[in-house]
Amino acid sequence: MGKDKKKKSTEPKAKLPEHLELRRDYVTCGDKLNYNVHTFTSANVFSAMGVDNSWDLAQFKKDFKIIINKLDKEVLEFDMIGVDPAIANALRRILIAEVPTMAIEHVFMINNTSIIQDEVLAHRLGMVPLLADPQLFEAKVAEEAPSEKNTLVFKLDVTCKRGENRMFSGQLEWLPGGSELPEETTCRFAAGQAHLFADPATPKPRAVHDDILLAKLRPGQTIQLEAHATKGRGKEHAKWSPVATAWYRLQPVVHVIQDVAVDSDVGQELMSACPGLFVADEGGRVLRANDARGHEMLRRLLEQERFSSCVSYRKKKDHFIFTIESSGAVPPLELLGQALELLGEKARDLTGKL
Amino acid sequence: MNQPDRYVQFVLPEGERKVNYKADTKLKDAGTFSFRSEDHTMGNLLRMQLHSDKAMVFAGYRIPHPLEPVMVVKVQTNGTKSPEEAMVHALQDLASEFGYMLNEFDREVMNAQQNPMHNL
């Protein structure tokens, strides 16, 4: 299909009748369940009406849009339009499970006299998000010895002398020269890693948040350990997931299906409940305006019959509002870029392997 | 104790082929592709892209058992293409789609950097 010659059609493409277009393009939200949820992907589904539903790269390029709405250090919200739910879901799954990060994998306990058990402490250390660019490192195969190319070494040495001490993630110290116990850990660095982070703009490896409580100590208790961090993916363990979470929802669309007078009870209640959404048009009727995005409270009103008979709440099936909350290791914009690249790589990889 | 190692889900063991194709013995122009170490991410995408091909009669995917990293795609065409051809075309279309999405994303990032106002 990708190699077919494109024929220039002289007559306009047949369009579906309006009620079928509604079913194809919008999810209708009822108060107890949603209707018309499925997407019509099959190319022949409307052939009885003479409408061709097959996929066309040129049409896709025309319809596809990405619009970035909000961007800051940790959260990215963007709109993706003209895309099938399978693609949006694949992107979400890749963001959660397949973009690599660094996380602590092996913990060598030198001394732990606290009441937190070794394995519990090791688990907590693994879950701490680390501020280190995973692209500087290679993934470590199980049989390989740890080296500067695939391991980041951290040290933690805390003793409580008086009162109660708390051990925080900010006390993790990065060792650029490698392990301090090369015989036990079999980790030998040929050269240090300091040159990788020499540029003052790149932050030195540390925990993203300094105030994650790892353990509490009382006088006389001490914890000394060395932690090795490797590169991994969320699929193997959730500690390597780069996002706090990533999710999407469909764009809501409000449509007035029955004329409502501005000065009627229904009209007044609608306009006061959702300011900015309903606007009077010329002639004194109520019209929907702009984006229905901030006005989800409308669904509460639509549980009542008098509102649901004149206003319909729908969702556009190919317009996704994506939110990515990064855990801090990688900025969210870069995460999206890596995820889109991984998506392309998967498809190209399989093409080659056929 | 009985849980298989997680890395098996995405690391292909030595000597295993990623994709296997078996033509259907009872139907014409039908066959089954068996993918190792793949899951719903690619399965749903392939199914969607195969559906949009005019020559397709049947396209579906399933994961026979959640503990084994195998994904099976069943394809039946109407004869104008062979199932292998249809799969190759679907994958090429997906690759070009994703390439275009990445370009659009890069363009939008540059746009957003030049107009910092529109981000807030």
Side-chain angles (χ1 to χ4, degrees):
Chain A
M1 202 191 105
K3 299 274 159 67
D4 288 352
K5 287 197 288 275
K6 290 197 191 21
K7 278 193 291 246
K8 281 240 164 78
S9 53
T10 43
E11 75 262 344
K13 289 177 83 167
K15 285 191 70 177
L16 276 183
E18 213 183 289
H19 66 284
L20 283 182
E21 250 192 43
L22 182 68
R23 284 185 71 177
R24 183 190 62 183
D25 293 336
Y26 292 92
V27 171
T28 311
C29 300
D31 64 334
K32 290 205 175 59
L33 61 130
N34 296 342
Y35 305 92
N36 305 329
V37 178
H38 300 287
T39 45
F40 297 95
T41 47
S42 168
N44 312 320
V45 69
F46 301 123
S47 54
M49 272 159 265
V51 175
D52 185 8
N53 198 28
S54 62
W55 182 82
D56 183 25
L57 183 61
Q59 188 63 34
F60 172 78
K61 287 188 178 176
K62 258 203 311 170
D63 295 333
F64 178 73
K65 276 201 230 8
I66 287 191
I67 303 168
I68 295 182
N69 290 330
K70 267 191 264 204
L71 173 61
D72 66 33
K73 245 178 2 134
E74 291 189 329
V75 179
L76 164 64
E77 193 190 288
F78 67 99
D79 280 12
M80 203 153 71
I81 308 176
V83 138
D84 196 83
I87 300 186
N89 196 33
L91 194 57
R92 183 192 64 91
R93 285 176 68 104
I94 289 185
L95 277 164
I96 292 177
E98 303 201 30
V99 178
T101 5
M102 300 293 286
I104 291 178
E105 167 82 345
H106 297 289
V107 175
F108 298 92
M109 294 287 183
I110 301 165
N111 194 1
N112 176 15
T113 45
S114 74
I115 54 162
I116 313 291
Q117 297 91 339
D118 286 353
E119 61 271 16
V120 173
L121 186 52
H123 178 256
R124 290 174 76 82
L125 280 166
M127 299 298 281
V128 167
L130 296 176
L131 185 61
D133 185 4
Q135 291 178 324
L136 296 171
F137 299 92
E138 294 167 4
K140 175 166 155 331
V141 183
E143 307 84 39
E144 224 180 300
S147 75
E148 62 222 337
K149 285 204 283 286
N150 52 35
T151 314
L152 260 183
V153 180
F154 292 91
K155 174 172 121 148
L156 201 45
D157 191 346
V158 180
T159 308
C160 177
K161 303 233 168 48
R162 275 168 18 144
E164 183 190 82
N165 264 18
R166 293 182 173 170
M167 191 170 87
F168 291 101
S169 55
Q171 292 167 320
L172 272 172
E173 240 182 271
W174 173 50
L175 301 176
S179 172
E180 292 180 339
L181 323 149
E183 284 85 42
E184 286 94 348
T185 63
T186 70
C187 170
R188 287 161 222 275
F189 280 18
Q193 288 173 328
H195 64 278
L196 286 175
F197 301 95
D199 184 2
T202 43
K204 303 264 184 308
R206 59 177 173 85
V208 174
H209 307 282
D210 287 337
D211 51 356
I212 300 177
L213 179 62
L214 292 171
K216 290 188 183 179
L217 300 168
R218 289 287 291 169
Q221 293 177 345
T222 170
I223 294 183
Q224 290 172 315
L225 55 84
E226 198 174 278
H228 291 196
T230 52
K231 181 169 159 173
R233 298 197 270 170
K235 265 187 146 174
E236 196 171 336
H237 191 285
K239 67 187 177 192
W240 276 300
S241 183
V243 290
T245 191
W247 75 94
Y248 62 83
R249 60 190 181 105
L250 294 177
Q251 161 84 339
V253 168
V254 172
H255 194 73
V256 177
I257 48 182
Q258 209 181 66
D259 290 339
V260 178
V262 174
D263 44 359
S264 67
D265 287 339
V266 168
Q268 284 299 312
E269 266 199 70
L270 281 174
M271 289 185 73
S272 60
C274 310
L277 177 57
F278 291 105
V279 165
D281 73 340
E282 335 75 42
R285 283 171 310 176
V286 181
L287 237 203
R288 73 139 174 82
N290 295 342
D291 231 8
R293 235 184 255 204
H295 303 283
E296 275 78 8
M297 279 309 286
L298 180 60
R299 293 194 74 172
R300 266 273 156 270
L301 282 183
L302 291 180
E303 285 168 9
Q304 299 173 37
E305 170 64 40
R306 57 198 181 116
F307 295 112
S308 57
S309 56
C310 23
V311 172
S312 127
Y313 194 87
R314 301 179 188 146
K315 303 242 165 123
K316 188 124 203 333
K317 285 188 198 176
D318 63 353
H319 185 152
F320 297 93
I321 305 171
F322 247 101
T323 313
I324 300 178
E325 283 185 7
S326 162
S327 66
V330 184
L333 209 51
E334 222 180 281
L335 274 178
L336 183 56
Q338 284 186 29
L340 286 169
E341 266 187 59
L342 273 171
L343 206 45
E345 244 179 66
K346 273 178 171 273
R348 284 193 295 273
D349 215 33
L350 284 179
T351 327
K353 298 265 173 57
L354 271 184
Chain B
M1 175 178 73
N2 285 327
Q3 190 187 62
D5 289 317
R6 289 275 188 103
Y7 63 79
V8 170
Q9 283 175 14
F10 48 88
V11 170
L12 203 59
E14 294 252 343
E16 288 261 1
R17 287 205 62 200
K18 180 85 177 167
V19 189
N20 261 321
Y21 174 71
K22 235 189 257 177
D24 196 294
T25 51
K26 299 183 193 139
L27 289 170
K28 214 162 62 88
D29 305 311
T32 311
F33 293 87
S34 177
F35 294 84
R36 253 211 92 96
S37 296
E38 282 296 337
D39 63 356
H40 300 277
T41 312
M42 254 345 254
N44 204 15
L45 280 174
L46 275 176
R47 177 202 63 90
M48 179 230 8
Q49 199 61 36
L50 284 166
H51 273 185
S52 59
D53 193 337
K54 276 204 274 254
M56 204 56 57
V57 169
F58 180 91
Y61 87 99
R62 68 192 168 111
I63 295 179
H65 194 284
L67 288 177
E68 291 169 19
V70 181
M71 191 218 3
V72 162
V73 179
K74 188 154 187 261
V75 172
Q76 183 183 3
T77 59
N78 64 6
T80 53
K81 294 189 195 175
S82 78
E84 294 109 316
E85 260 183 73
M87 179 63 87
V88 170
H89 288 163
L91 281 167
Q92 285 169 346
D93 286 342
L94 279 179
S96 49
E97 214 171 311
F98 298 147
Y100 182 71
M101 278 170 69
L102 192 53
N103 289 340
E104 275 299 300
F105 166 69
D106 287 334
R107 209 149 57 92
E108 175 65 17
V109 168
M110 287 215 296
N111 250 350
Q113 279 167 355
Q114 280 161 11
N115 330 341
M117 284 300 119
H118 107 103
N119 274 336
L120 305 161

